Amino acid sequence: MTMAPPDQSGPESAPGGPQPSSRPRAEDRLTRKRLPLWDRIKLLLMLGILWLVLVWTVVANGGPQKFDSLFADAWRTEVRNARWLIVLIGLEVLRQIHFLVSEHWAGYNQFWVRGVFGGTERLTRRKFSDWTRFRLWRAFTWVFWIAVLALILGKVKHASPIVALVSVPADIFKALPFVLQIFAGIFFVIIQFGALFWFLSRGGVDVYFPDDVKTRFSDVWGQDHVVERVKENILFLEDPEQIESRGGYVPGGILLWGPPGTGKTLMAEAVAGETGKPYVFVDPGAFINMFMGVGILKVKALFRKLRRLALRYGGVIVFFDEADSLGRRGALAQGGPNFPRASAHQAPGCHGFSYLSDDVQWRLSRRALDAAGEPEPDNRRNKQIMGMGGGGGGGMGTLEALLTELSGLKKPRGFANRYIRRVFGVRPKPPPKYRILVMMATNLPEALDEAMLRPGRIDRIYKVGYPSKAGRIRTYEGYLAKVRHELTAEQIDKLATITPYATGATIKDMVNEALITAIRSGRDVITWRDITRAKQLKELGPPEDVEYIERERHAVAVHEACHALVAYRTRQHMDIDIATIEKGSDYLGMVASIPPEDQFTRWRSEYETDILVSLASLAGERMFFADDSSSGVSGDLESATTVASFMEGFWGMGSTVSSFSSARRLEVGAPGGGAAGRNKKGQDPEVELRRRLADRIEDRLNELLHRVEDILVEHRSGVLTLAHALETHKTLSGDDVVAVLEHTEGPFVDGRVYADPALVQELEAYHAGAATAHIEHSPVPIALPVATHRVRVPQAVATTVNGTANGSSTVAAEPDPLAGS
């Protein structure tokens, strides 16, 4: 195998050239952005035309005089009468001079931007809300232009501006002949309907121009691999000739799919910010309407706007958020819940399907569509919980209109181009190439229509999944940099480890909640305790304000302590995240575990330890409460049975190798061979198959239950000390659980106190009293022991207390100040 030479163009270089550099932000630019020529002269042209209209009106009413003298008199007359227009022209000239100076003189521009306008902005923000300021400015704009129109009409009609404005519709109607008046009435009715549908088709689409989008790729944290792929599309959008000159085409569609909060919308904003193109945001519910046909009008109006923006700015980016609300036809048409969707021919890989012939692949695919798919357990988080006993979106035609606009026939633009050129036998000019990048985001990709996802409409599909540990660390660092905190690099690394499926949105929310917790405590600096409390609140919710009776509190603590001890002693692939006996909405207590690293495969030994942890509650209750057990183990038994069922019937981790789902579908009988494996006459083969599987599952669970009992007998004192810590503190972090079991000092709990044999004897006596109270339904006769911790003291103190010259000694201290917190 040969090694390719190193790439001399730098890391992550895109095909065709280097990656585009980041555009400067608007606030980093010292001078004003240069105006195009049309934007510089358009108002002057409009005011000049208005001046000529006023002069021409005086000329037309001047009578039979020579044109030269009449025009000169009219010019002088309007100089006297239309001074307001001359003032407007002068103000516009001054404005353009101001813009020109600001484009070349940084100090002058910064004086106006930061001093004059910045001060005004700060003043108005203190007086009015953003919504009030927007509405006031909009009302002022309407009043201004109506006043200008009224002044012009008043001058033309030699009447007051208000009278001239009000009488315009009547004057137009009187000037028409009778027949045209009839057509005008019909046309007015048509305009009413058109205006109604135009009004209904408005809204749901927001346009952000280049300087409005502040987001850059540097603001997207934790998704570096997706960002690098998206940058390629930016390269081709900025320089399309690079691929079109070689016979290719610019990819025009990107689908970002993944769980909520992973940064899909933020990534689309970053694309617009980096390219300097307009960004059009389409609201998820924009195409859901009361009347049929309005959605089609909205789609057509949207793409007309996109084409105009693309021609003016050289490209445009449109983002459809929650695209499944518009393209929800795939789940109905395809019948499958997975994405990417399964087809008759699977991609080559180590999944066993590629080894089969095409005919067998087709037959198995057909059967898979008729049978329910195999569910997979949720491996994101493992919890042992003690229970309490117990069509198409967008309207008709809207999706089709969108599909047509995405890749339909592009007709020539303009009336003259389409009709007048044909009159003279000239072929219409083809439409220009519109640089429109369509980006869509969804967390339900399986609901999208297949036609929408085909190349040419959506060319690239990227999964924006949960960030890796490195991505989570970068995200935590980014959000923590915006607040004051005392977290070290090691603590941030630990935080990223104990939040394995945190997204950018949840990390932002957790940091904000930690800041609220710190402010509630009278501080403005976030500590490790604040962030752990915020994590507990966000993951478990606020605990219910209830108090256990003492014997039930002890039973719940023993239940959870058994889970935690067995998890710590046997399960190496997951770490304990939290243990609590605070009552939640649907649980009395909980021990939650998390994977310490990103792992994508699971092994038999790991699943066995998961079952051991689940069965620890049943084994522990039987051992500590004289073979009695509670209904709180129901969820644990369900979890253990589910995992054991998959191990025995699907994953080849049991006493047999064959797959239960295939044996049931193909009716090959129960595994075992010989007379035992053959069905008796008249017996349902599926019943026999299920019975044998159930027997194997029960045997496996009993075997693992005996192993759990041995572990709990060996570590009985560990269960009691951990139960005491839970009764004292209510909630323990994973590090505190380890500290209690290993008799070390934890972040919030000092586990060294549990190394005292006398305390262990007190805990045994307290448990005996609680067990008796459990049987008799009476109060616990013994109070919960209070743990005291022993600290190391300096030599001088030790000499004073004990009268010895030892380097250090131990003294009894006050009860743990964290007790009961």
Side-chain angles (χ1 to χ4, degrees), residues 556-598:
V556 174
V558 170
H559 177 113
E560 303 304 335
C562 291
H563 280 311
L565 184 137
V566 174
Y568 177 69
R569 296 299 179 187
T570 64
R571 189 155 57 183
Q572 306 301 321
H573 64 285
M574 300 185 81
D575 292 338
I576 298 175
D577 178 32
I578 192 172
T580 181
I581 61 170
E582 292 184 285
K583 184 179 180 300
S585 59
D586 57 351
Y587 60 88
L588 300 181
M590 170 187 296
V591 174
S593 300
I594 55 172
E597 54 194 2
D598 296 332

Side-chain angles (χ1 to χ4, degrees), residues 384-406:
Q384 280 71 43
I385 299 176
M386 184 173 184
M388 296 187 292
M396 295 182 61
T398 306
L399 175 59
E400 290 77 5
L402 177 62
L403 297 179
T404 302
E405 291 290 348
L406 286 175

